[in-house]
Amino acid sequence: MPGLRGESAGVRMAATIVAAVQIGCGPVASTATQDHAGASTTPGAVVGLCGPDEPGDRLEFGGRVLDMRGRPLAKAAVVAYHADRRGLYNPRSSETRVPRLRGVAVTGDLGRFQFSTVRPGAYPEGAEPVHVHVAVLAPAHHVRHLDYWFEGDPLITDRRRSSRNSNTIIVALARKDGAWTFQHDIRLEGN
């Protein structure tokens, strides 16, 4: 976290990760053992942001977390969340603002993370391109927040392209084994 040093930074980072895990999405199907909160208990494993019955086209994405020198970073927490295929984070009648489709992956020795979910939809008012939110936390590095937009989305206009910041990444989706996929490596800055 920018500007924080020593124990307080570590304590705050741990609290953020614990909070993210505690608000997880419940039981999901995965290639790894997962706890009740949508977080992988196996570093580098696939983390499901939703169950297999969630309506929508399947989406699988991942990459590597790299340290400030470009080396793979183990034990980084990658928090991901997004709207459902209707563009809603929760049903309209929900009493919570905590996104329903979310999870936390912990990178393995090669810095890899992988998520399985459904392709999100645009917000009902159509004001923002379709996107997935990601936050990456690792000791001795600044927290990195990203939004993944999908190439070809009609809501990505030339104006939006020119005004986007370095935390907005436009990715090209490909089809593999019946799912949409993309990979992107995330490089962190030292703290």
Side-chain angles (χ1 to χ4, degrees), residues 18-27 35-39 49 98-100 102-104:
V18 168
V21 171
Q22 288 176 340
I23 61 173
C25 63
D35 66 15
H36 68 283
L49 302 184
V98 176
R100 188 173 62 81
R102 65 196 178 281
V104 180

Side-chain angles (χ1 to χ4, degrees), residues 59 119-120 130 132 148-153 156 170-171 173 182:
L59 172 68
R119 189 171 171 170
V130 171
V132 174
Y148 288 117
W149 291 358
F150 303 143
E151 184 68 50
D153 185 327
I156 302 175
I170 300 175
V171 295
L173 295 176
F182 72 87

